[in-house]
Amino acid sequence: MSTLDLGVIGNCNIAALVDAQAAIVWGCFPRIDGDAVFHALLNDTASQGKFSVELVDQLHSEQAYLPNSAILRTTLYDHHGGIAEVVDFAPRFALYERIFRPPMIIRRIKAVQGRPRVLVRLRPGFENGGLKPQLTRGSNHLRYVSPAQTLRLTTNAPVSYITEERPFVLDRPIDLLLGSDESLQAGVETTARDLFERTLDHWRSWVRSLSIPFEWQDAVIRAAITLKLCNFEETGAIVAALTTSIPEAPETERNWDYRFCWLRDAYFVIHALNRLGVTRTMEDYLRFINDIVEEAQDGELRPVYGITRDTSIDEVAIPHLMGYRGFGPVRVGNQAHVQIQNDVYGSVVLASTHAFFDRRLAHPGNMALFEQLERLGNRAVAVFDKPDAGPWELRTIASVHTFSSVMCWAACDRLAKIARQIGQTDRAIYWRREADRLHAIICERAWSDKRGCFVSTFGGDELDATLLLLHEVDFLATDDPRFAATVDAVAANLRTGDFLYRYVAEDDFGRPATAFLICVFWYIDALAALGRRDEARALFETVLGRRNPLGLLSEDIDPRNGELWGNFPQTYSMVGLINCAMRLSRNWEEAF
């Protein structure tokens, strides 16, 4: 049975998920939103869609990342005292004044003790598992061919044993290089070793550049690397997760494709990475959204885009995949791209604000960018009190959502600050006036005297977890009694055990059955902002204990048994971990 006890490897072009037994159960080629040639995660009983290294008479396994890297090591133990080690990674390093990140996975296998016997099963399925590839072979390679793409395995292992899936004694190290249909320019072992050493050095250098807190360093480093792996570096896009259709809960059709760039999610990712000093990724993403803004007609934005700004990401079901643990449907594409989500204007302006204030950036914001952002501000003013699908992407229910309205206010607020920064006094006065006007209307229409707090929709009665962000986006000060009242009301209404639901009202699919992980991090941040640090720290430690064995988080969690659900790894969840650690950690001076 599939679980989310998985590790992720990747290079900001492709990514793959490896289970605790050293099987690659998810991986798309030739990029992270591509054809899921490895899809066993969504098809438990099928024989295709997996790349496994199995130890004959296996007893158990252990798994860990090489410190400060995206290189995963799985150690397999057999009943006879034999031990084998599998090291998995995707090459990534600087080469010829650019980052070398080919669509390639490398698996290095060696005996650590005894004479273990291994069985390699390489069974890709093209067209998301709908097409079995043709197989051709050479003296030291295999080619898996489809009309759309070809994968080549180059190896120093016996090719016949791989094609016939026969076990063999691991009496010497072997390497498996799977990627594009290109010949190697050097020997297999030499190439694998060189790519391994360069990739390890790259990741450790990248980690050394991070500005990390004193406490929870390992957790923050792992979260930061994971966020980086969700960055499609070629364009700067950041995907919400690396998978599709892992359901939010059992027995539900809440199965969505998250291999796209949500403007809202990406803002939170950029904000977290900026706190860590990852300015290059922030600049790349700013270029991505600048192109989106440039193309936007009348300043109108979609909530989600493909990783090359593609807007043709219509949602379709894949009937031949049964789904995670049999809970279908499996979907490719996401219909949210046609929804109205008015918070996107604030998300883009908030992200772009960094360009005008962060002196580290090589390409600071200028008047042309400000004029582009003003188009979004005008759109925010026009729609702040109009119904939309909201941040939770309700499919058949439209309301004037408080979060969307607050984010429209944030667009005006930041435009006023940017205008002042660049000496545009008249525009600063204009945008401050608009921000104040929106603020007053939101406070009047989103406040509930009956509840004694802000509520999810104008004139409504329900609560949702985005209300915890009213201080985070500077809409309310920490000493505003309305903020404390709202935080307490949200906790009383949405908290179950150690976690919070995003909302408890029925939606298109009934009541949510699992808690949304980012919500508990928002709550922890809110507690810290209110001065309740001891309570916040205790809850944060508890949540850290619910990560999977490799320190990763998905989108959702069952608050009753702690089981992870939802797409994986989830950028929102890793962002929440980083933000809380940065806020709650003792500083370096206090520690000594």
Side-chain angles (χ1 to χ4, degrees), residues 267-268 271 275 350 403 406 409-410 413-414 417 439 454 465-480 482-484 486-487 522 524-531 583:
Y267 158 67
F268 285 103
H271 192 55
R275 288 179 175 180
L350 283 170
F403 178 76
V406 167
W409 165 85
D413 175 76
R414 298 324 192 261
K417 294 176 179 177
H439 196 282
F454 283 93
T466 59
L467 298 169
L468 297 168
L469 297 170
L470 293 177
H471 165 66
E472 181 70 21
V473 297
D474 297 329
F475 186 81
L476 292 179
T478 54
D479 59 357
D480 189 321
R482 295 174 297 180
F483 177 58
T486 300
V487 171
W522 289 343
I524 292 168
D525 273 337
L527 291 176
L530 290 169
R583 182 187 291 272

Side-chain angles (χ1 to χ4, degrees), residues 13 73 79 92 140 236 249 260 322 330 341 355 420 498 523:
N13 180 28
R73 177 171 56 209
H79 283 274
R92 174 181 171 81
N140 67 344
F260 306 111
M322 299 302 294
V330 170
Q341 297 178 30
R420 186 173 64 247
D498 296 319
Y523 179 57

Side-chain angles (χ1 to χ4, degrees), residues 160-182:
S160 295
Y161 288 164
I162 295 175
T163 57
E164 298 176 15
E165 297 186 353
R166 294 187 186 278
F168 57 93
V169 175
L170 193 61
D171 56 1
R172 57 184 174 85
I174 63 171
D175 298 288
L176 306 167
L177 289 73
L178 180 70
S180 301
D181 189 20
E182 300 173 357

Side-chain angles (χ1 to χ4, degrees), residues 181-322:
D181 189 20
E182 300 173 357
S183 300
L184 298 184
Q185 301 303 306
V188 174
E189 194 276 337
T190 299
T191 300
R193 183 180 64 249
D194 179 62
L195 295 178
F196 169 80
E197 291 172 351
R198 291 190 182 203
T199 299
L200 181 61
D201 182 66
H202 168 84
W203 281 113
R204 289 183 171 171
S205 296
W206 187 84
V207 168
R208 281 196 295 271
S209 72
L210 298 178
S211 301
I212 60 174
F214 178 77
E215 297 180 271
W216 307 297
Q217 292 184 27
D218 289 339
V220 169
I221 289 170
R222 183 52 47 203
I225 291 173
T226 305
L227 288 184
K228 183 59 182 172
L229 295 180
C230 293
N231 170 215
F232 183 63
E233 200 169 52
E234 180 182 329
T235 64
I238 298 169
V239 298
L242 295 170
T243 56
T244 179
S245 304
I246 302 177
E248 296 177 11
E251 306 291 349
T252 181
E253 291 192 4
R254 299 177 190 266
N255 305 346
W256 316 116
D257 191 347
Y258 276 12
R259 298 170 297 163
F260 306 111
C261 184
W262 272 258
L263 300 183
R264 177 195 318 112
D265 300 35
Y267 158 67
F268 285 103
V269 174
I270 288 301
H271 192 55
L273 290 177
N274 189 46
R275 288 179 175 180
L276 296 172
V278 188
T279 54
R280 177 64 179 270
T281 301
M282 180 172 68
E283 286 189 290
D284 290 345
Y285 176 67
L286 290 176
R287 283 196 292 271
F288 178 77
I289 60 174
N290 285 346
D291 284 334
I292 288 175
V293 173
E294 185 71 33
E295 293 175 346
Q297 296 182 354
D298 301 321
E300 186 172 348
L301 299 177
R302 295 172 181 251
V304 57
Y305 292 81
I307 61 175
T308 58
R309 308 197 317 276
D310 184 11
T311 57
S312 302
I313 52 175
D314 288 339
E315 189 175 288
V316 296
I318 306 297
H320 52 265
L321 295 179
M322 299 302 294

Side-chain angles (χ1 to χ4, degrees), residues 542-562:
T542 298
V543 175
L544 285 181
R546 298 303 182 95
R547 294 172 297 157
N548 83 357
L550 291 166
L552 307 183
L553 289 167
S554 62
E555 179 187 50
D556 306 273
I557 191 168
D558 188 326
R560 294 166 292 274
N561 60 23

Side-chain angles (χ1 to χ4, degrees), residues 242-528:
L242 295 170
T243 56
T244 179
S245 304
I246 302 177
E248 296 177 11
E251 306 291 349
T252 181
E253 291 192 4
R254 299 177 190 266
N255 305 346
W256 316 116
D257 191 347
Y258 276 12
R259 298 170 297 163
F260 306 111
C261 184
W262 272 258
L263 300 183
R264 177 195 318 112
D265 300 35
Y267 158 67
F268 285 103
V269 174
I270 288 301
H271 192 55
L273 290 177
N274 189 46
R275 288 179 175 180
L276 296 172
V278 188
T279 54
R280 177 64 179 270
T281 301
M282 180 172 68
E283 286 189 290
D284 290 345
Y285 176 67
L286 290 176
R287 283 196 292 271
F288 178 77
I289 60 174
N290 285 346
D291 284 334
I292 288 175
V293 173
E294 185 71 33
E295 293 175 346
Q297 296 182 354
D298 301 321
E300 186 172 348
L301 299 177
R302 295 172 181 251
V304 57
Y305 292 81
I307 61 175
T308 58
R309 308 197 317 276
D310 184 11
T311 57
S312 302
I313 52 175
D314 288 339
E315 189 175 288
V316 296
I318 306 297
H320 52 265
L321 295 179
M322 299 302 294
Y324 181 79
R325 298 191 188 174
F327 301 129
V330 170
R331 294 182 169 99
V332 172
N334 197 302
Q335 214 59 27
H337 78 99
V338 298
Q339 287 186 347
I340 296 173
Q341 297 178 30
N342 292 329
D343 65 284
V344 295
Y345 305 104
S347 297
V348 171
V349 175
L350 283 170
S352 301
T353 300
H354 291 286
F356 295 90
F357 290 90
D358 194 329
R359 308 302 291 182
R360 297 169 298 175
L361 303 187
H363 304 285
N366 54 26
M367 192 62 192
L369 176 58
F370 175 67
E371 290 174 351
Q372 288 182 328
L373 296 179
E374 282 199 299
R375 291 163 51 201
L376 303 187
N378 292 332
R379 186 69 184 167
V381 169
V383 303
F384 87 99
D385 59 351
K386 301 298 188 292
D388 71 350
W392 305 118
E393 303 186 337
L394 304 176
R395 295 211 158 194
T396 62
I397 305 168
S399 302
V400 182
H401 289 91
T402 300
F403 178 76
S404 297
S405 299
V406 167
M407 291 295 280
C408 288
W409 165 85
C412 299
D413 175 76
R414 298 324 192 261
L415 284 169
K417 294 176 179 177
I418 293 170
R420 186 173 64 247
Q421 173 74 3
I422 62 176
Q424 298 294 310
T425 304
D426 290 346
R427 301 311 296 164
I429 292 171
Y430 171 79
W431 286 112
R432 177 52 55 206
R433 184 171 62 245
E434 286 297 279
D436 291 345
R437 182 176 69 86
L438 267 60
H439 196 282
I441 294 171
I442 295 168
C443 287
E444 177 185 354
R445 298 185 62 186
W447 177 265
S448 169
D449 288 329
K450 176 183 175 182
R451 285 274 201 177
C453 65
F454 283 93
V455 291
S456 297
T457 58
F458 282 14
D461 191 54
E462 300 291 343
L463 304 179
D464 83 287
T466 59
L467 298 169
L468 297 168
L469 297 170
L470 293 177
H471 165 66
E472 181 70 21
V473 297
D474 297 329
F475 186 81
L476 292 179
T478 54
D479 59 357
D480 189 321
R482 295 174 297 180
F483 177 58
T486 300
V487 171
D488 288 341
V490 167
N493 191 249
L494 303 183
R495 186 173 179 177
T496 297
D498 296 319
F499 296 93
L500 279 77
Y501 291 91
R502 55 184 183 263
Y503 51 82
V504 293
E506 287 199 7
D507 60 17
D508 311 288
F509 300 92
R511 291 180 179 270
T514 52
F516 207 66
L517 275 161
I518 186 61
C519 300
V520 69
F521 291 120
W522 289 343
Y523 179 57
I524 292 168
D525 273 337
L527 291 176

